[in-house]
Amino acid sequence: MKKLLLTLLGVLTMVPAFALHFEYTYQGQTITYTVIDENAQTCEVASYQDNRIEGDLILPSNPENNGLEYTLISISDWAFKQTGISSVTIPESVKSIGYYAFYGCNGLNKAEFSSIEHLCSIKFGGHYDNPLYYAHNLFINGEEVKDLVIPETVTSISGRVFEGCSGLSSV
């Protein structure tokens, strides 16, 4: 019996865990999400194979699946690779953006965030992660920022936050 249980346990550990994926349509764009933590009800934008987006993209803070609301905290690696997005709005809930998340988004001309504090707090891995690398223009709550004043409430700035943001005249 002990041998059978050990064998069964060995087989079960070899079976990969399957992440829950779901689609949610918001502002006319359908995006695939991956649940990160079911108990905390957090999710991330899934990888690029699932997201063929065109035009203006507004990411929701709380995508829903079967009546459950999740908090969007991350954009995964390659999430919008070479998609046809022209603008992206990143909600305050997003804390990290994965490697190459916006790689090849050459038509991107607007990246919008809710606040400078939020932008400065996002963890980026490289320059293809930040939509500003392609968009070059920073928007905060619908207004283009040319002369950036970093508020005193910002105590640290993540790496690569302003990389490619050539639309800024001064900081």
Side-chain angles (χ1 to χ4, degrees):
M1 182 67 165
K2 185 176 181 182
K3 219 179 209 186
L4 177 65
L5 287 174
L6 287 174
T7 302
L8 183 59
L9 181 61
V11 169
L12 287 175
T13 59
M14 293 170 53
V15 175
F18 293 99
L20 172 67
H21 296 282
F22 65 93
E23 286 186 344
Y24 181 68
T25 302
Y26 183 76
Q27 300 286 320
Q29 299 280 13
T30 301
I31 299 187
T32 302
Y33 297 89
T34 302
V35 174
I36 296 172
D37 184 332
E38 190 65 52
N39 293 328
Q41 290 186 267
T42 56
C43 68
E44 69 179 352
V45 173
S47 66
Y48 75 97
Q49 294 94 341
D50 301 315
N51 296 307
R52 304 308 335 159
I53 304 298
E54 302 288 327
D56 298 328
L57 173 62
I58 300 172
L59 292 170
S61 295
N62 302 102
E64 295 178 18
N65 182 42
N66 294 326
L68 288 176
E69 192 175 89
Y70 291 85
T71 301
L72 177 63
I73 62 169
S74 180
I75 298 172
S76 70
D77 299 346
W78 305 96
F80 299 110
K81 175 190 172 196
Q82 297 176 325
T83 57
I85 58 176
S86 54
S87 71
V88 62
T89 301
I90 310 281
E92 186 94 21
S93 61
V94 171
K95 306 300 180 207
S96 66
I97 297 179
Y99 288 98
Y100 296 96
F102 292 93
Y103 179 78
C105 291
N106 297 322
L108 190 57
N109 57 37
K110 178 181 177 184
E112 183 159 350
F113 300 86
S114 59
S115 67
I116 297 298
E117 292 90 346
H118 173 235
L119 173 61
C120 290
S121 71
I122 295 175
K123 303 252 184 285
F124 298 101
H127 54 266
Y128 299 121
D129 310 348
N130 191 333
L132 287 171
Y133 181 81
Y134 291 102
H136 309 294
N137 300 305
L138 170 64
F139 287 77
I140 301 295
N141 289 323
E143 297 291 322
E144 185 171 8
V145 177
K146 294 284 189 184
D147 299 306
L148 177 64
V149 176
I150 298 174
E152 290 181 24
T153 55
V154 173
T155 57
S156 68
I157 298 174
S158 294
R160 302 188 187 275
V161 167
F162 299 107
E163 185 170 6
C165 190
S166 59
L168 292 176
S169 300
S170 67
V171 178

